[in-house]
């Protein structure tokens, strides 16, 4: 099976970040000299996975529409990893683990500690359902349906980057602290 394409979702308005005191869109704010979005793209590229950025002019009506646009633009893919663009601490190894999990299950959900995270992986047979998403409803119902059929692989990772997103200025400060600690005290 060929590797899936990573759909990077970057069409949101980032209103919570602005409301918390942010001066620019959360994906454009700097973290360690690079934008939040650049960290996400770098992780995907380091993992060696193909990617597609969903960032239409004027945004979309929500996550469901963004996912649908990304899947439509990459319709020949063997599958998709749905990755919000605001997870700057995501590790390339985590992306690869989710991609590899699609060899065994139609849907793969990464977890950190007891929390489900991103990217959620979908094999090609879920393409039609993903294309049918609209508005702000993400793929949760698709995952729940796959879980009922026993087609979800849950993987447990030691990467807090699968659950840590930047939604507020406080989140950005925490991300900076985590980056500092991991650079001073690497594994």
């Amino acid at each position: 099976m060929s590797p899936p394409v990573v759909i990077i979702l970057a069409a949101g308005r980032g209103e919570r970040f602005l409301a918390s005191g942010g001066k620019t869109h959360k994906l454009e704010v700097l973290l360690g000299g690079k934008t939040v979005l650049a960290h996400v793209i770098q992780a995907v590229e380091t993992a060696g996975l193909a990617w597609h950025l969903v960032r239409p002019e004027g945004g979309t009506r929500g996550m469901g529409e963004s996912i649908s646009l990304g899947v439509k633009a990459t319709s020949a893919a063997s599958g998709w990893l749905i990755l919000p663009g605001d997870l700057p601490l995501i590790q390339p190894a985590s992306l690869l683990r989710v991609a590899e999990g699609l060899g065994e299950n139609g849907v793969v959900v990464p977890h950190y500690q007891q929390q489900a995270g991103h990217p959620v992986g979908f094999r090609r047979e879920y393409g039609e359902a993903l294309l049918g998403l609209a508005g702000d409803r993400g793929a949760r119902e698709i995952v729940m349906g796959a879980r009922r059929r026993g087609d979800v692989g849950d993987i447990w990772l030691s990467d807090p980057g699968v659950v840590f997103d930047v939604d507020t200025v406080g989140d950005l400060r925490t991300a900076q602290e985590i980056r500092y600690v991991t650079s001073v005290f690497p594994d």
Side-chain angles (χ1 to χ4, degrees), residues 67-179:
I67 293 169
S68 179
L69 287 172
V71 170
K72 183 177 182 179
T74 59
S75 60
S78 65
W80 302 271
L81 303 187
I82 308 302
L83 179 62
D86 63 354
L87 281 90
L89 303 179
I90 188 88
Q91 297 298 305
S94 298
L95 297 167
L96 289 171
R97 288 277 310 278
V98 173
E100 291 164 0
L102 291 175
E104 297 175 27
N105 294 280
V107 176
V108 176
V109 179
H111 298 263
Y112 174 72
Q113 296 180 346
Q114 299 303 313
Q115 191 176 355
H118 287 94
V120 176
F122 297 89
R123 264 195 327 230
R124 183 164 184 73
E125 61 261 30
Y126 289 91
E128 246 350 273
L130 294 169
L131 284 170
L133 295 174
D136 201 27
R137 290 182 51 209
R140 183 178 315 251
E141 289 181 26
I142 297 169
V143 173
M144 289 178 3
R147 194 171 293 286
R148 285 190 295 274
R149 290 187 299 283
D151 197 23
V152 174
D154 292 297
I155 58 173
W156 305 94
L157 303 172
S158 60
D159 177 7
V162 302
V163 297
F164 186 86
D165 58 354
V166 174
D167 281 331
T168 67
V169 171
D171 294 338
L172 180 64
R173 280 193 291 273
T174 301
Q176 290 167 331
E177 292 167 8
I178 292 170
R179 286 189 77 250

Side-chain angles (χ1 to χ4, degrees), residues 10-11 53-61 65 69:
L53 181 66
V54 178
R55 193 173 204 174
E57 194 69 35
T60 64
R61 289 184 291 270
E65 182 180 350
L69 287 172

